[in-house]
Amino acid sequence: MNGKTTALIGGLALLCLIIGGMVGSRMKVDNNISARTVADYLHAVIEADRTFYTQHIVERMEDMLIVPVSEKWREEQGLPLPVQFLRESSESLRALDAPFRYRLVSLWPLNSQNAPISPEEKDALEQVVKNGDVVEMEVMLDGQRYFKAIYPDRAVSRACVSCHNAHTEAPKRDFRLNDVVGGLVIQIPLE
Ligand code: HEC
């Protein structure tokens, strides 16, 4: 991976963290702001970064044969998959002590760890796929109440479609551009 690409990815990740941190601290100072509004802000930032990363980094780097996109990106000195980019940035929020988390799930996961974690989450995800719209709910986790929203995660780029349809573990191989591939789950603790 060349220096420019690394700098670009680093810059994007930093932007994500800074905006994430700002949203998190605002929730503490202003109790009137609803959890849904916070989730919508987070979603807008995450989706914008995810789309940019996939369309302008992953797809271009692959087309120009500059660097491969690989599940083993660390070992193979490639680019992280879009899902890995998202997971890494969500993980690094722990270091900032941010109260919220996000992850990708799917009814047709390439990685079984990305399947819905409960029957309720599966039902909600089915609604998201069917209607292409966000579904919200409240859940209890370790004695703490959380607001949880699942937003549709769409195949915004040719790269999403070709990679998911061609993967050896793919349970579904007929995704088309703009289809809902899965859901972006955002969880925010409620006081
Ligand atoms: C180069 C291949 C590749 C590209 C490009 C890609 N994905 Fe994936 N995606 C994967 C793999 C492999 C996984 C599972 C790996 C993991 O969890 O570490 C995954 C995971 C996911 C998941 C979680 C459920 C699952 O299947 O495990 C969603 C949702 C998802 N991708 C959607 C998308 C969308 C939308 C795009 C385009 C913006 C995209 N992917 C681009 C390969 C790809």
Side-chain angles (χ1 to χ4, degrees):
M1 199 177 338
N2 65 28
K4 224 169 157 186
T5 316
T6 316
L8 196 56
I9 295 174
L12 266 175
L14 192 66
L15 188 70
C16 209
L17 286 176
I18 290 171
I19 297 178
M22 278 162 55
V23 175
S25 51
R26 190 166 157 201
M27 194 169 56
K28 279 179 215 143
V29 292
D30 180 357
N31 288 326
N32 291 325
I33 190 164
S34 78
R36 170 61 193 267
T37 305
V38 175
D40 284 349
Y41 290 168
L42 281 170
H43 171 247
V45 175
I46 297 164
E47 189 180 80
D49 284 357
R50 179 163 164 73
T51 302
F52 182 86
Y53 178 68
T54 311
Q55 288 179 341
H56 297 285
I57 301 179
V58 169
E59 200 172 301
R60 282 176 71 203
M61 293 294 141
E62 279 210 313
D63 282 353
M64 293 188 280
L65 302 176
I66 292 179
V67 57
V69 184
S70 159
E71 275 175 83
K72 297 188 181 143
W73 60 279
R74 281 203 169 89
E75 297 87 325
E76 294 172 5
Q77 309 202 329
L79 282 181
L81 298 172
V83 67
Q84 293 173 313
F85 182 91
L86 183 135
R87 200 178 290 134
E88 294 281 335
S89 50
S90 176
E91 286 293 316
S92 47
L93 287 172
R94 286 175 204 273
L96 290 180
D97 237 1
F100 44 82
R101 294 281 175 272
Y102 47 88
R103 67 192 155 86
L104 283 172
V105 288
S106 173
L107 296 171
W108 312 277
L110 298 182
N111 173 352
S112 56
Q113 293 188 351
N114 301 327
I117 53 162
S118 63
E120 294 75 32
E121 188 169 281
K122 183 164 180 274
D123 286 351
L125 191 55
E126 279 168 358
Q127 291 300 311
V128 171
V129 171
K130 190 166 151 231
N131 303 325
D133 207 0
V134 56
V135 168
E136 52 183 85
M137 67 194 90
E138 249 183 64
V139 290
M140 283 296 283
L141 281 174
D142 303 327
Q144 161 77 53
R145 239 163 26 101
Y146 282 86
F147 170 83
K148 175 163 158 178
I150 308 182
Y151 296 82
D153 188 52
R154 291 185 183 274
V156 290
S157 151
R158 284 185 289 113
C160 318
V161 174
S162 55
C163 194
H164 273 257
N165 286 346
H167 197 275
T168 47
E169 303 295 320
K172 175 171 159 73
R173 297 181 181 273
D174 57 357
F175 283 118
R176 287 173 307 175
L177 204 61
N178 213 34
D179 276 355
V180 179
V181 180
L184 175 68
V185 180
I186 298 182
Q187 271 174 212
I188 297 165
L190 296 168
E191 279 161 315

